[in-house]
Amino acid sequence: MDIVIILSLVTGTFFIFSSSIGILRFPDVYTRLHAITKGSTLGIAGIMIGSFIFLYIEHGIISGKLLLGMVFVLITAPVSGHMISRAAYRSGVKLWDESVKDDYGNALEHAKKLKDH
Amino acid sequence: MNFQIVINIVIAILWMFLSESYTFTTFFVGYMLGIALLFLLQRFIPDAFYLQRVGKILSLIILFIKELLLSNIDIVKLVYKPKLDIEPGIFALPTELKSNWEITLLANLITLTPGTLSIAISEDQSYIYVHAMDIPDVEESINDIKDTFEKAIMEVTR
């Protein structure tokens, strides 16, 4: 059983570690948000599962708080990613130079033109 | 559906009174009996059997977790790639879903799929703007999202 605990803790830390490397390596806000919203969810889930099993085996506690924490991270990570990226776009953060397409910018410009007329 | 759940709970409470023990276990046994009764009598009760819908919700959750695992592995691969050869961009995804609840669910699912991040929703709620890590396979990802997610969400909500 110890092996299972160690494995889930190590995978959890590995995913969080690689998502923070992603924050450093990726070029702009949006690609960095990819790394944060995805990498960290599985990382936190792994750590929570590891500590849940540990508490259950060592102390016989079924900790509902850990499970709840996992569920809420899963629900809130995409929402916060959406809000941060939209706020960034609306406040004028540019896409990376090598980005190939920007439909949202075109749509916003189109709406602005319609308003001016 | 609500009517069937109420009937099920009433059967469970009846079972508790009949067996004169007021514990959670008895309630659970009564609930299981209620499910069996509802299943046998589903022809005489309005609406479809409600556990079918519960099953669809469960399959949506399983889909969610599967996509989450895949996207995590995907992003880790990208992080450790020595050379960053990606072509990011924002594309518009047309959606047929109407209600706020459905669109929220779809946007969250998109964010957790490999390589995509929902950025905004158009004023008339007919487009979701999605930031993708690698634009060249956009056509493919549009079809993927349309096929798997919209269908699963529609099955649950309609």
Side-chain angles (χ1 to χ4, degrees):
Chain A
M1 244 9 231
D2 279 352
I3 297 171
V4 178
I5 298 171
I6 293 167
L7 259 183
S8 57
L9 285 180
V10 167
T11 34
T13 5
F14 171 72
F15 275 110
I16 289 183
F17 177 69
S18 27
S19 84
S20 36
I21 288 184
I23 297 175
L24 292 175
R25 277 200 67 193
F26 287 157
D28 67 347
V29 184
Y30 309 100
T31 40
R32 280 176 183 159
L33 274 171
H34 275 274
I36 302 167
T37 51
K38 285 168 198 138
S40 62
T41 42
L42 195 63
I44 288 169
I47 290 176
M48 294 274 190
I49 289 173
S51 43
F52 178 79
I53 298 173
F54 173 76
L55 278 182
Y56 180 64
I57 285 179
E58 291 289 305
H59 305 287
I61 306 168
I62 297 179
S63 172
K65 275 179 223 158
L66 286 174
L67 295 182
L68 271 185
M70 207 162 73
V71 170
F72 278 112
V73 167
L74 280 190
I75 297 173
T76 51
V79 177
S80 55
H82 178 88
M83 289 320 287
I84 294 171
S85 59
R86 201 174 78 126
Y89 201 98
R90 284 296 177 92
S91 54
V93 178
K94 293 275 187 305
L95 289 171
W96 189 34
D97 298 337
E98 289 178 39
S99 302
V100 283
K101 206 174 178 187
D102 186 4
D103 281 350
Y104 187 44
N106 297 341
L108 279 183
E109 255 171 43
H110 190 66
K112 212 178 178 188
K113 256 181 214 162
L114 282 183
K115 222 180 217 174
D116 288 344
H117 280 303
Chain B
M1 182 180 166
N2 293 334
F3 177 65
Q4 289 184 8
I5 294 176
V6 169
I7 285 184
N8 209 337
I9 291 173
V10 167
I11 291 174
I13 291 171
L14 268 179
W15 180 255
M16 260 162 61
F17 277 99
L18 283 176
S19 51
E20 291 197 335
S21 77
Y22 308 101
T23 56
F24 181 73
T25 340
T26 341
F27 182 83
F28 187 73
V29 171
Y31 202 86
M32 284 297 140
L33 282 174
I35 286 177
L37 278 178
L38 279 177
F39 181 71
L40 287 176
L41 300 176
Q42 57 179 309
R43 257 200 293 165
F44 309 108
I45 299 170
D47 294 339
F49 185 46
Y50 80 94
L51 275 192
Q52 282 176 359
R53 213 167 187 188
V54 174
K56 274 168 191 162
I57 293 174
L58 275 184
S59 70
L60 185 65
I61 292 173
I62 290 172
L63 181 77
F64 190 80
I65 292 172
K66 197 191 86 188
E67 291 293 335
L68 182 71
L69 287 180
L70 284 181
S71 70
N72 273 286
I73 294 164
D74 218 54
I75 207 80
V76 166
K77 265 188 210 155
L78 265 181
V79 165
Y80 290 118
K81 224 180 203 174
K83 196 167 165 291
L84 209 59
D85 54 349
I86 52 172
E87 292 179 354
I90 299 173
F91 69 91
L93 173 79
T95 173
E96 292 159 20
L97 301 175
K98 290 285 180 299
S99 68
N100 287 337
W101 165 243
E102 290 170 330
I103 292 177
T104 313
L105 208 58
L106 182 66
N108 281 2
L109 278 174
I110 286 172
T111 299
L112 288 178
T113 42
T116 51
L117 175 80
S118 65
I119 281 195
I121 290 158
S122 67
E123 299 275 309
D124 56 349
Q125 302 198 329
S126 57
Y127 286 99
I128 296 180
Y129 294 101
V130 179
H131 184 272
M133 266 303 204
D134 236 348
I135 276 288
D137 42 41
V138 150
E139 286 295 317
E140 212 177 293
S141 50
I142 283 182
N143 289 332
D144 274 0
I145 289 168
K146 271 211 137 17
D147 279 353
T148 51
F149 292 155
E150 279 199 339
K151 246 183 225 160
I153 290 174
M154 273 183 189
E155 269 180 359
V156 168
T157 54
R158 286 175 196 177

